[in-house]
Amino acid sequence: MRNAMGVIAIMLWCSTSTARTVGAAGAVDSTKAITRTAGKRPILAAPKVSGYIQIHYRQAFATGVDSLVDNNDFRVQRVRIGVHGEISPKVGYDIEIDPRAPEITGVLRDAYVTLRHVPRHEVRIGQQKTQFGYENRESSTDLFAVNRAELSDAISRGQTLRDIGVGLIGNVKLGKGLRLEDAITVVNGAGMNVQADDTPRKNIWGRLGLRYRNDAREMVARLGASGGSGDFIDPGDDPFDSADDFRVVFARTGADFELDCRPFFFSAEYASAKDENKLTAEIDEPRGFYVNLVGKIANRFGPIVRYDEFDDVFKRWTLGAYVGLPSEPLRTMVNYEIRKAKDGVRSDDKLYLWMQVRF
């Protein structure tokens, strides 16, 4: 905890300094990150401090087959404080913490150095998100649902969404509004903030896609294919007893599509897995998908409809509405989740009243 408080103190000190400019898409303008004086070495500009707070109220309804119902509650869903800066035009850094994490191992989120020596690409060295699909790579601040789809949590990541390793993320222009998007991460596979690799293999995650942009029609379309391969240690029934731990070798594949235009935003994703228990030789092959449609009324208000399904054991409709676009400092959402378990058996529906502030 002492280390976490030290990081927070540094961030608060940085917040009193002059912030650098940030582009419309959130990318730091590196041309203004360094100030120069004649005949002298570049002077480092102040880091950019940013973050967000997400709070919701959840109410559960007794629509399931049993008599158990979750208590209604208020929750601070997420808090993030981040520092982004450059020490030269080609070398930068990102640090993000979660001060509300219930355990010290969850406080540090992003912690990587960025190298921009490859044209239109950046190399990330350190703890970062693994590159797979669409929804997991997006910040929760930019999504139109309170909870991520089930496949995103279950098979579109490793032990955790973030891991420690090396990533290459960028794009190549193809002309006529087209560009090739490429992203790959090679990580330990032991999970976020685990400082030693506990298996003999490294985990590889990657996505290759096409993006088409038409400014005249105010349209952006993306199509991508993703893959993952590696291994991890499953803690078994008792996470505190290493005797029942076993190693899992996995392979993951996925596809995603996004269309963002003036009247609506649409996204869809599919992912499948093959997990082999090396202790028992058992093989599990789960799969899942979601489709998501968001309407745009007056460009900052609209309805939300999403359906996601995972391996025929989880089905959910999410209905609702939002006020405020992802780029705005204040957003609100209403989500009503209609949940079904295997064979169509109902579980408890849930209502979320959600608010987000970005700074």
Side-chain angles (χ1 to χ4, degrees):
M1 182 60 69
R2 183 179 302 172
N3 293 337
M5 294 303 296
V7 173
I8 295 173
I10 292 172
M11 291 181 175
L12 292 176
W13 175 83
C14 293
S15 66
T16 63
S17 303
T18 303
R20 295 178 293 111
T21 56
V22 178
V28 176
D29 185 354
S30 61
T31 62
K32 299 181 180 180
I34 305 295
T35 58
R36 297 178 181 273
T37 56
K40 296 183 179 181
R41 297 180 62 185
I43 301 174
L44 179 65
K48 168 64 178 177
V49 178
S50 61
Y52 60 89
I53 303 170
Q54 295 175 355
I55 302 170
H56 71 234
Y57 171 75
R58 182 190 66 175
Q59 181 169 345
F61 298 89
T63 54
V65 296
D66 57 36
S67 59
L68 300 177
V69 183
D70 291 339
N71 293 327
N72 304 330
D73 58 15
F74 293 96
R75 181 183 180 188
V76 179
Q77 185 184 19
R78 294 183 182 91
V79 177
R80 298 288 191 270
I81 302 174
V83 177
H84 183 120
E86 277 83 25
I87 62 171
S88 75
K90 291 185 179 295
V91 181
Y93 57 88
D94 280 86
I95 301 172
E96 184 182 82
I97 66 168
D98 177 5
R100 58 155 288 284
E103 299 179 358
I104 187 64
T105 54
V107 172
L108 183 64
R109 296 286 165 159
D110 290 333
Y112 58 84
V113 174
T114 302
L115 306 178
R116 287 182 290 273
H117 295 81
V118 181
R120 302 184 65 85
H121 287 73
E122 62 179 37
V123 177
R124 297 175 181 175
I125 305 172
Q127 183 160 287
Q128 59 196 285
K129 283 187 176 182
T130 50
Q131 300 294 311
F132 187 99
Y134 162 73
E135 190 177 77
N136 268 349
R137 298 188 307 122
E138 285 290 294
S139 168
S140 63
T141 61
D142 296 331
L143 300 178
F144 289 93
V146 174
N147 297 310
R148 296 183 190 271
E150 190 70 10
L151 73 85
S152 297
D153 290 331
I155 59 177
S156 295
R157 60 178 69 175
Q159 292 284 69
T160 53
L161 177 55
R162 290 169 171 83
D163 212 318
I164 304 173
V166 179
L168 177 67
I169 296 94
N171 61 81
V172 177
K173 279 188 175 181
L174 301 178
K176 296 183 178 181
L178 279 173
R179 76 181 187 188
L180 179 70
E181 297 180 326
D182 57 281
I184 186 171
T185 41
V186 180
V187 295
N188 287 335
M192 182 173 65
N193 293 318
V194 178
Q195 300 301 312
D197 194 347
D198 54 2
T199 66
R201 294 179 58 177
K202 290 291 182 284
N203 292 358
I204 302 175
W205 300 88
R207 178 184 180 272
L208 190 65
L210 283 173
R211 191 204 75 165
Y212 172 72
R213 179 169 179 168
N214 189 318
D215 291 332
R217 296 184 178 181
E218 298 181 30
M219 180 187 75
V220 176
R222 284 185 168 90
L223 177 65
S226 299
S229 177
D231 60 356
F232 62 88
I233 299 297
D234 191 305
D237 296 329
D238 187 351
F240 301 103
D241 183 8
S242 61
D244 63 348
D245 293 356
F246 57 91
R247 178 168 163 254
V248 175
V249 174
F250 70 85
R252 309 284 166 84
T253 56
D256 64 272
F257 174 74
E258 299 82 47
L259 176 61
D260 193 356
C261 56
R262 186 182 301 174
F264 66 88
F265 170 76
F266 174 81
S267 61
E269 195 167 348
Y270 170 86
S272 64
K274 182 178 181 181
D275 296 347
E276 181 182 358
N277 183 327
K278 300 304 290 185
L279 181 64
T280 65
E282 295 179 351
I283 295 177
D284 187 25
E285 297 181 307
R287 60 193 63 198
F289 72 92
Y290 71 83
V291 290
N292 179 54
L293 180 62
V294 179
K296 297 180 181 179
I297 301 174
N299 205 33
R300 62 185 311 275
F301 166 80
I304 302 165
V305 179
R306 186 184 73 181
Y307 177 76
D308 67 293
E309 184 173 315
F310 180 71
D311 207 26
D312 200 32
V313 298
F314 180 88
K315 301 177 181 180
R316 172 175 56 187
W317 283 95
T318 302
L319 310 174
Y322 72 94
V323 177
L325 296 175
S327 59
E328 297 183 29
L330 175 64
R331 295 179 68 202
T332 59
M333 279 195 299
V334 176
N335 278 188
Y336 187 86
E337 296 184 349
I338 304 172
R339 297 166 171 246
K340 296 183 179 181
K342 190 174 182 179
D343 300 324
V345 176
R346 287 289 297 277
S347 56
D348 293 338
D349 293 354
K350 295 183 179 180
L351 172 69
Y352 293 89
L353 306 177
W354 180 92
M355 176 181 289
Q356 171 181 283
V357 171
R358 299 179 69 164
F359 58 90

